[in-house]
Amino acid sequence: MRKYKDIGLKLTPQRIAILDYLDGNRQHPTAEEIYRAVSKRFPTMSFATVYNTLETLRRRGSISELTIEQGKKRFDPDPSPHHHLMCMVCKQVHDIGRDFPLPLTEGERRGFDILATHVEFHGICPECRAAGTNARAVAG
Amino acid sequence: MRKYKDIGLKLTPQRIAILDYLDGNRQHPTAEEIYRAVSKRFPTMSFATVYNTLETLRRRGSISELTIEQGKKRFDPDPSPHHHLMCMVCKQVHDIGRDFPLPLTEGERRGFDILATHVEFHGICPECRAAGTNARAVAG
DNA sequence: CTGGCTGCAAATCTTTTGCATCCTG
DNA sequence: CAGGATGCAAAAGATTTGCAGCCAG
């Protein structure tokens, strides 16, 4: 995510705290988790600043925003294209750093310019399986 | 989606209206779009009924719920596994009815039971491209 | 008849916005 | 010192919930 190398970005202490928290973070945190973490250092931190900063970073291509959990955004400090594996029960998200061949025929493409392709693997993690969670309850 | 064949489901007029609207519908409508459509027939229809019915149908495996557009649910009357192509600008969603080989190594699986795999193609549709929308503005 | 369903309103949760003040470059 | 960033609170948008009354099976 090229921390601090984002020339043109005004580096405030709050932004540095967010960048520090995200750097190397493999948890794919939600906005709330980021807010809670940086609030420890900056008790006056507001959601507005968290969302503003994340949106700025996303537009610069420094991070990516995941639409994998219903109803909330998750953020990934790794902006390069890759895929994800999510536990349907506890919502933990892992990276799948592999390329899959995903060619579309002209008919399937429907004239679209394809800009991104994302594969989501949904399942039950070992911990949740051991905890006896009924997969069908969440998997439908 | 086996309309009406869902034995054990109490068939109220409201549910029939929702089933009728979804049957054969390829628009991947949001809850709001479903609400608006069935409200024409049932002016007293409430969001609670729409959400209740959709959740009931999903749990029965009669429809599937898409997590492809940020912040809202979309519903697909086709519950069989398939993939999707979405326009990043106007959010229209198309089906991709093809299987792709998406094998995970043991290491990549991390002990998960994989229950579903979903490929999302994101791009710009011909109409939005013609309208001159700047892809980078939305694509980041 | 009765348990599940409906409809309304209020509540919840996440994200966005307006605006006065602040501070980095 | 100017323009962008912050923080607060209020607003917005989507979904969920509580509950009294209703109706399909």
Side-chain angles (χ1 to χ4, degrees), chain A residues 1-4 6 9 13-38 41 49-59 61-66 73-79 95:
Chain A
M1 105 184 159
R2 298 184 21 243
K3 187 167 68 150
Y4 304 157
D6 302 297
L9 226 194
Q14 292 87 341
R15 285 182 167 181
I16 291 171
I18 292 172
L19 288 167
D20 280 350
Y21 177 72
L22 286 177
D23 189 40
N25 187 317
R26 302 279 73 217
Q27 301 304 124
H28 308 82
T30 62
E32 225 249 302
E33 285 162 352
I34 296 168
Y35 170 77
R36 278 213 313 276
V38 295
R41 276 214 253 164
T49 297
V50 171
Y51 280 109
N52 282 342
T53 299
L54 292 169
E55 174 62 8
T56 299
L57 291 171
R58 187 196 65 77
R59 257 185 309 193
S62 301
I63 66 175
S64 68
E65 185 184 304
L66 306 184
K73 296 179 171 180
R74 287 183 172 271
F75 296 88
D76 191 334
D78 179 0
D95 290 312

Side-chain angles (χ1 to χ4, degrees), chain A residues 78-132:
Chain A
D78 179 0
S80 67
H82 60 282
H83 308 298
H84 294 94
L85 165 62
M86 184 176 74
C87 175
M88 293 163 130
V89 179
C90 67
K91 312 301 185 188
Q92 65 177 107
V93 178
H94 294 278
D95 290 312
I96 303 290
R98 173 136 66 100
D99 266 355
F100 299 99
L102 296 162
L104 289 186
T105 66
E106 276 307 298
E108 288 167 335
R109 218 165 49 77
R110 290 180 176 80
F112 276 54
D113 286 333
I114 308 291
L115 300 180
T117 301
H118 185 220
V119 184
E120 296 176 359
F121 298 90
H122 298 261
I124 311 289
C125 73
E127 298 78 36
C128 289
R129 187 184 335 114

Side-chain angles (χ1 to χ4, degrees), chain B residues 22 58 82 127:
Chain B
L22 286 178
R58 187 195 65 77
H82 60 283
E127 297 77 36

Side-chain angles (χ1 to χ4, degrees), chain B residues 57-90:
Chain B
L57 291 171
R58 187 195 65 77
R59 256 186 309 197
R60 299 180 56 78
S62 302
I63 66 174
S64 68
E65 185 184 304
L66 307 185
T67 303
I68 188 170
E69 181 178 353
Q70 187 57 255
K72 59 183 62 164
K73 296 178 172 180
R74 286 183 171 272
F75 297 88
D76 191 334
D78 178 1
S80 67
H82 60 283
H83 308 297
H84 294 95
L85 165 62
M86 183 175 76
C87 175
M88 293 164 130
V89 178
C90 67

